[in-house]
Amino acid sequence: MDQQDLVRKIAGLWRQLHKTLEERGPSPWLRLNLTRGQLRILFLLSIQGQMTPGVVAASLGVPKANVTSVIDRLVRQGLVNRQHDAKDRRSYILRLTEKGQDEVAQLREWFATRIEKVLKEMGEGELNSLAVSLEAMIKATQQTGKTESQESV
């Protein structure tokens, strides 16, 4: 099996893992009354901390006008806070509220808790192999991030 075939196989296994985890019980994703666009903005803000609407739009690859109504709905739901930008009074800064941070944290924690339960069923040798593989994946991800940052400059 060549590298490309292995990559496809592993990506498929990753999808299968997610599907299997979701079949074992209701996901907190199902209780959310949020659109895909709203979720994308929530997770983007959770990673970046704060952003202007223009930067959010650019990061998502959509026109600024497309994110305005989505942001308005997130503000009304108490998930995102707007504050005037001290550098540009015509603009404002977006941040997650405590409620928004809690929602994102709960979604991330659900997956981590499910994984932990599965890992407890594995043997020490399997866990060691998985740990080595995940460390390699993290290293490759960090390197890919550096490469992508350098390419966008």
Side-chain angles (χ1 to χ4, degrees), residues 46-148:
S46 78
I47 293 165
Q48 298 299 320
Q50 65 181 30
M51 303 173 85
T52 64
V55 174
V56 168
S59 297
L60 298 175
V62 299
K64 186 177 173 184
N66 289 15
V67 299
T68 303
S69 62
V70 177
I71 291 167
D72 289 342
R73 287 192 298 274
L74 290 170
V75 169
R76 281 195 301 273
Q77 292 178 44
L79 299 170
V80 171
N81 190 2
R82 273 185 251 206
Q83 187 174 18
H84 281 287
D85 186 351
K87 297 175 188 172
D88 181 359
R89 297 304 276 165
R90 297 169 295 158
S91 187
Y92 50 92
I93 303 292
L94 302 169
R95 289 185 184 87
L96 290 182
T97 62
E98 190 173 326
K99 180 181 175 184
Q101 291 171 7
D102 289 346
E103 288 290 341
V104 172
Q106 285 176 18
L107 293 171
R108 287 186 172 136
E109 185 57 31
W110 173 84
F111 184 74
T113 301
R114 289 285 168 101
I115 289 291
E116 216 171 289
K117 288 179 183 177
V118 171
L119 294 174
K120 288 178 181 176
E121 299 299 318
M122 295 171 63
E124 189 175 338
E126 293 169 319
L127 289 169
N128 281 325
S129 294
L130 182 58
V132 168
S133 298
L134 288 173
E135 287 168 351
M137 207 170 163
I138 290 167
K139 184 177 177 181
T141 301
Q142 291 168 337
Q143 188 58 43
T144 301
K146 290 177 187 174
T147 304
E148 288 174 353

Side-chain angles (χ1 to χ4, degrees), residues 5 22 33 40 42 52 65 88 100 113 131 136 139 143 152:
D5 289 337
E22 289 173 354
N33 190 22
R40 290 174 70 196
L42 282 181
T52 64
D88 181 359
T113 301
K139 184 177 177 181
Q143 188 58 43
S152 65

